[in-house]
Amino acid sequence: MDENSVLNFLRDHPEFLEDYIVSPEVSPDTFERWSIRRAIKFKIPKRPFTGTPMAGGWTIIPGSRLIYETTRDSGNFRQSGECTRILYEITQCCGQIMGTNAVELIVQNDEGAFSCRKTEEGELKLKKVKNSKNASYIQTIVNAANQTIGEIHFYIPLESSEKSIVNVVCTWAAAANYFSEIYNHKSQAGPDSLDVHENIAKQRKLSNFLLDVARSIFHDIVSMDAVIVKVMNFAQKLVDADRASLFLVDSRNRQIYARIFDVGTGDEEHVRVNSDGQKEIRFDMSKGIAGHVASTGEGLNIENAYYDERFNADVDSKTGYTTKTILCMPILIRGVVIGVVQMVNKHNGAFTRQDEDAFEVFAVYCGLALHHAKLYDKIRRSEQKYRVALEVLAYHSVCNSDEVNKLKKIELNNRIIELETIDFNGMRLSELEKPLYAVYMFKTLFSETLRVAYHNWAHGWSVAHAMFATLVNSPEAFTKLESLALYVSCLCHDLDHRGKNNAYMKSMETPLAAIYSTSVMERHHFNQTITILQQDGHNILKNLDPEEYKETLSLIKHCILATDLALFFSNKAKLNVILDRGEFDFSNREHRLLTQAVMMTGCDLVASAKPWSIQTETVKVIFEEFYDQGDAERLSGKEPIAMMDRNQAHMLPQMQVGFMRGICMPCYDLIARIFPKADKMRERCEYNAKKWEELAAEQKAKQEATGSKNGDNDS
Ligand SMILES: Nc1nc2c(ncn2[C@@H]2O[C@@H]3COP(=O)(O)O[C@H]3[C@H]2O)c(=O)[nH]1
């Protein structure tokens, strides 16, 4: 058959030709190449956009839905090709919109340009482009890193309006592709853009998390340690570290201590939260990577800790853990380093630049949480102080001097009989008499129950008197300011005492115990002293110059706090050692302060050095107060100590022996070593101690004779 007869046959039998063309004999590539050649040859006019299925069974779905579905599914595509497939679909979409097949996708990568075609099985095949055909119009598609990731070659001329349609579609496609890659942080456009996407995906996770942290800080007001642990835990996972810890700066001692340590070991967050930086992990700021960052305020990324001379290996030796890589950032509040956060041992390799960037953001959030914690504590403390101030105000509301003078002039009988009947006419009382009668009725009803039996003004006076008697007999011992501080401290050392001791304040979680963590009552007494000094007409120190004023206040604080018996034992021990070594020197500031402290205790316990009759009378009221405290403790379900338990009253002499021998005698022995003239107190205390021992012995004998615990016959 010659060429003509073949052509005639094919013309007469079109189905034969079509069957051949659509048979496996002709590959899709060949078919597509033919269709492109045909379009070029005949400049086939564009068919109106009909929305009908095109070659390959691909149906136009208007606009973004197509892009959405393609990019949404891109997450399920294999690593290689999901970007190419999106570009291929977009190319087909653009061809459809332009009503032509004469479009071809060319993808670019490091190896050059490739033409992209679809096989019958729907696989995309890339074929290296040897010589580019002269396309009528080329639409480029770029990624977030502004790199060309593909070109759509049109082999038919496009109007400018058509070009802008194609441009819009491709721009959206690129954006959709970009976000689909970010969401799956995968990319075909080469390592750089992978970094970009990887990093942006991380940033997206980071910003979502930090938003969550901010929400928990400002909305849930959960414990700040919980927030910080949450932040640390996420940071540790984000930078893929094995351990994380938070160190706080103790600027007074130039040390840092672990507030949160070992975050991230095991499933649950194994966290040790030290509210006040207990001993476990604490070291000088001059040591360690943490110390260096805390001192310099600059972050460090250490690849091998043991090769870095700044590294503090002591902690490893304590914990048995081996540190290799460290990422450490300072936490700053208003430019001041308050702590450092540390990530330790990245699971693969060293911490990266991205880890540093992400972690820097975390350091800010840790600072935010810590700052908030401080503010929150401050608010809580000032709230407690406010409550105490209200209590004190209620207790000591001040009336003016004019009212006081008028009230003094009004004489009331010890007992006002007519008040005890309903018929009494209160209307006839003056404005001044009413409060006076109210106080009379209060005292008549409650004076025996509500007054503070021992820690009242009489005690303050007696302690001040003891200090006066000591100072007046040793005038050269202290400076004027020291003597002033000592005397004023004695007067004020138990201001606003409530008849309860520090142990009670703590166990009952009172507002005062919430404000002061140590020497609760003594700090309150000092605070009350300051409050009085700050009231108009009450500042007896106002004539001192600023330096003297400051020195005197500091001495008053030292003296009042020294009346906390818990501090006496260490003061006594230190001073005895100095005296035993013959090193005591009155010109030494430390020695003077210790002497003042022990003198405060000596004056505070002066009842034990008074004549026996006064000692027994005083002890009576002391134990009245103790038993009231014991009753209050029992009411709240707590067992009082024997000394405060009125059911153990028979043990009083025995307890007095313990108190005199264990505390009072050592105190007066020590004072007599420094002030020989004060030996009188020691002698009197020794006498009283012996008297209590006799009473204790009698009590014991009675107990044995009667078999009853308190020696009474009716056991
Ligand atoms: N057992 C006992 N305690 C005393 C005696 N004198 C003072 N105290 C206690 O010693 C404490 C010293 O400090 P405070 O004045 O706060 O409270 C005082 C009492 O609790 C005493 O004679 N016997």
Side-chain angles (χ1 to χ4, degrees):
M1 285 173 89
D2 61 13
E3 190 178 321
N4 280 338
S5 50
V6 170
L7 285 178
N8 291 335
F9 174 80
L10 292 177
R11 197 173 292 120
D12 299 342
H13 303 80
E15 72 289 356
F16 176 84
L17 177 61
E18 185 173 332
D19 291 349
Y20 173 72
I21 285 175
V22 298
S23 74
E25 298 286 324
V26 174
S27 76
D29 282 4
T30 308
F31 175 78
E32 199 144 351
R33 190 160 38 77
W34 290 348
S35 63
I36 289 172
R37 268 187 56 199
R38 185 175 186 280
I40 293 171
K41 187 173 178 186
F42 293 102
K43 292 190 181 18
I44 292 171
K46 285 150 303 292
R47 286 177 302 121
F49 174 45
T50 60
T52 54
M54 289 280 288
W58 196 78
T59 302
I60 274 199
I61 302 165
S64 62
R65 202 165 135 241
L66 155 85
I67 293 175
Y68 166 71
E69 281 173 354
T70 312
T71 49
R72 179 200 60 197
D73 297 344
S74 71
N76 307 326
F77 289 1
R78 285 186 320 290
Q79 170 67 19
S80 65
E82 73 276 13
C83 174
T84 308
R85 182 176 296 280
I86 291 174
L87 297 178
Y88 179 80
E89 300 301 347
I90 292 301
T91 304
Q92 299 307 306
C93 174
C94 292
Q96 301 258 331
I97 294 170
M98 296 303 127
T100 174
N101 275 334
V103 285
E104 183 178 22
L105 171 64
I106 307 293
V107 291
Q108 317 272 349
N109 58 31
D110 296 352
E111 285 94 53
F114 295 81
S115 159
C116 175
R117 303 241 168 90
K118 189 187 279 186
T119 65
E120 269 166 18
E121 295 73 36
E123 288 295 308
L124 293 180
K125 284 271 179 266
L126 294 181
K127 196 171 159 197
K128 199 156 177 69
V129 172
K130 292 190 182 61
N131 45 9
S132 66
K133 305 181 194 85
N134 44 2
S136 307
Y137 172 65
I138 293 176
Q139 170 66 46
T140 55
I141 301 177
V142 295
N143 69 3
N146 212 20
Q147 295 154 326
T148 300
I149 53 173
E151 289 176 350
I152 300 181
H153 286 214
F154 289 85
Y155 296 105
I156 50 167
L158 297 185
E159 310 291 335
S160 60
S161 59
E162 288 169 327
K163 288 177 187 170
S164 45
I165 291 172
V166 168
N167 191 23
V168 167
V169 171
C170 290
T171 306
W172 279 104
N177 175 49
Y178 168 71
F179 285 107
S180 70
E181 286 184 343
I182 283 188
Y183 183 74
N184 299 290
H185 58 84
K186 292 182 187 117
S187 156
Q188 292 303 307
D192 306 356
S193 74
L194 183 60
D195 279 355
V196 171
H197 293 133
E198 186 83 24
N199 201 18
I200 291 171
K202 270 190 176 183
Q203 294 301 329
R204 182 172 56 76
K205 275 173 73 178
L206 174 67
S207 52
N208 288 344
F209 175 77
L210 294 178
L211 201 59
D212 180 34
V213 168
R215 196 174 295 120
S216 59
I217 287 178
F218 294 111
H219 292 287
D220 314 340
I221 310 278
V222 294
S223 116
M224 284 309 124
D225 283 331
V227 172
I228 296 170
V229 169
K230 185 173 170 177
V231 172
M232 302 281 296
N233 206 267
F234 189 90
Q236 177 239 340
K237 291 190 174 81
L238 188 85
V239 299
D240 194 23
D242 183 51
R243 300 283 173 91
S245 48
L246 167 69
F247 290 90
L248 291 189
V249 172
D250 172 355
S251 44
R252 194 172 30 198
N253 303 312
R254 296 280 310 151
Q255 291 177 327
I256 54 173
Y257 62 91
R259 163 78 173 258
I260 291 172
F261 198 67
D262 269 358
V263 167
T265 48
D267 304 333
E268 80 295 336
E269 286 146 7
H270 167 66
V271 176
R272 278 201 298 273
V273 175
N274 296 310
S275 53
D276 53 1
Q278 277 318 307
K279 297 290 167 282
E280 286 113 332
I281 312 283
R282 174 185 275 268
F283 48 86
D284 193 275
M285 259 172 84
S286 59
K287 290 172 76 175
I289 299 300
H292 181 84
V293 170
S295 311
T296 62
E298 278 127 38
L300 280 179
N301 181 352
I302 305 294
E303 297 206 358
N304 199 324
Y306 280 85
Y307 287 110
D308 190 307
E309 60 189 15
R310 298 166 296 192
F311 173 60
N312 173 21
D314 303 353
V315 180
D316 272 7
S317 52
K318 242 187 210 175
T319 57
Y321 182 72
T322 306
T323 302
K324 188 167 180 336
T325 55
I326 299 178
L327 182 57
C328 185
M329 288 290 168
I331 298 176
L332 296 128
I333 289 185
R334 292 204 195 92
V336 176
V337 178
I338 61 147
V340 294
V341 277
Q342 257 195 1
M343 292 291 141
V344 179
N345 290 355
K346 187 175 179 73
H347 285 132
N348 46 20
F351 292 103
T352 63
R353 179 89 193 96
Q354 277 80 14
D355 292 336
E356 290 174 29
D357 296 345
F359 199 48
E360 206 156 349
V361 177
F362 269 89
V364 171
Y365 268 76
C366 276
L368 180 74
L370 283 172
H371 187 50
H372 194 78
K374 281 178 190 280
L375 291 181
Y376 192 58
D377 283 348
K378 247 186 206 162
I379 290 166
R380 214 167 43 78
R381 284 163 63 89
S382 50
E383 190 187 3
Q384 300 288 7
K385 281 186 175 162
Y386 172 70
R387 282 172 60 188
V388 169
L390 284 182
E391 280 176 14
V392 173
L393 202 62
Y395 191 71
H396 299 284
S397 52
V398 183
C399 57
N400 63 45
S401 47
D402 181 38
E403 286 164 332
V404 172
N405 295 331
K406 283 180 185 162
L407 280 169
K408 277 181 184 167
K409 291 191 181 101
I410 301 175
E411 284 292 323
L412 285 184
N413 300 334
N414 280 344
R415 186 174 174 198
I416 307 169
I417 300 284
E418 64 274 25
L419 256 186
E420 295 173 16
T421 67
I422 292 297
D423 315 344
F424 182 79
N425 173 13
M427 306 284 275
R428 68 175 179 75
L429 295 178
S430 70
E431 280 316 297
L432 218 53
E433 282 172 318
K434 283 194 185 76
L436 207 60
Y437 274 66
V439 171
Y440 163 85
M441 289 186 284
F442 186 89
K443 282 171 77 172
T444 307
L445 289 173
F446 308 115
S447 64
E448 280 319 302
T449 45
L450 282 188
R451 78 186 161 81
V452 178
Y454 171 72
H455 285 104
N456 51 37
W457 171 231
H459 170 62
W461 185 93
S462 143
V463 172
H465 166 255
M467 185 56 77
F468 167 78
T470 308
L471 294 175
V472 81
N473 287 305
S474 313
E476 74 298 335
F478 296 102
T479 67
K480 270 296 160 242
L481 285 187
E482 287 169 335
S483 305
L484 175 62
L486 283 161
Y487 182 73
V488 170
S489 302
C490 286
L491 280 178
C492 303
H493 83 285
D494 272 339
L495 272 178
D496 190 37
H497 201 291
R498 284 86 183 274
K500 305 287 188 297
N501 65 7
N502 290 338
Y504 178 90
M505 289 296 170
K506 285 194 167 185
S507 69
M508 305 298 269
E509 296 178 1
T510 61
L512 280 172
I515 296 173
Y516 305 115
S517 51
T518 58
S519 305
V520 176
M521 288 314 296
E522 289 73 21
R523 289 180 190 281
H524 177 55
H525 301 325
F526 173 66
N527 197 302
Q528 291 306 299
T529 307
I530 297 297
T531 305
I532 292 174
L533 287 173
Q534 286 167 343
Q535 287 182 16
D536 290 349
H538 291 65
N539 188 356
I540 56 173
L541 308 177
K542 68 177 184 297
N543 296 329
L544 298 177
D545 69 39
E547 266 315 298
E548 289 174 331
Y549 188 86
K550 196 168 156 231
E551 169 71 6
T552 307
L553 274 197
S554 163
L555 283 170
I556 290 173
K557 180 173 184 178
H558 167 72
C559 291
I560 292 180
L561 290 188
T563 62
D564 179 354
L565 270 187
L567 304 179
F568 165 66
F569 301 100
S570 65
N571 292 334
K572 170 175 69 76
K574 282 180 204 161
L575 200 46
N576 272 321
V577 165
I578 294 166
L579 287 159
D580 294 348
R581 289 180 182 156
E583 292 167 357
F584 183 77
D585 169 6
F586 237 122
S587 61
N588 176 309
R589 177 171 169 72
E590 186 54 35
H591 297 184
R592 301 173 78 82
L593 287 170
L594 281 170
T595 305
Q596 288 155 21
V598 172
M599 280 177 67
M600 286 303 296
T601 304
C603 293
D604 197 8
L605 306 179
V606 71
S608 63
K610 293 276 189 187
W612 176 245
S613 60
I614 299 173
Q615 156 66 181
T616 49
E617 191 186 337
T618 311
V619 165
K620 191 162 160 290
V621 290
I622 287 179
F623 276 80
E624 203 181 306
E625 199 176 290
F626 285 169
Y627 296 147
D628 285 350
Q629 174 173 326
D631 296 348
E633 285 164 344
R634 197 167 264 123
L635 269 179
S636 68
K638 293 177 168 63
E639 195 52 32
I641 59 171
M643 196 165 77
M644 307 222 169
D645 181 357
R646 64 176 69 252
N647 303 329
Q648 311 264 347
H650 61 286
M651 293 299 288
L652 188 148
Q654 191 58 43
M655 288 178 204
Q656 277 305 96
V657 171
F659 181 72
M660 305 286 267
R661 292 288 178 210
I663 295 177
C664 304
M665 281 308 293
C667 181
Y668 295 121
D669 284 342
L670 181 49
I671 291 175
R673 292 182 74 180
I674 299 169
F675 298 109
K677 290 178 192 166
D679 198 43
K680 185 83 182 146
M681 288 212 275
R682 197 188 60 74
E683 282 166 20
R684 188 63 60 69
C685 184
E686 176 62 34
Y687 175 84
N688 289 337
K690 283 200 170 65
K691 293 291 285 181
W692 285 118
E693 280 162 349
E694 287 161 17
L695 286 176
E698 279 170 30
Q699 165 63 26
K700 196 161 179 285
K702 251 197 267 177
Q703 213 167 320
E704 281 157 6
T706 60
S708 73
K709 66 176 183 177
N710 47 16
D712 297 345
N713 286 322
D714 53 344
S715 57

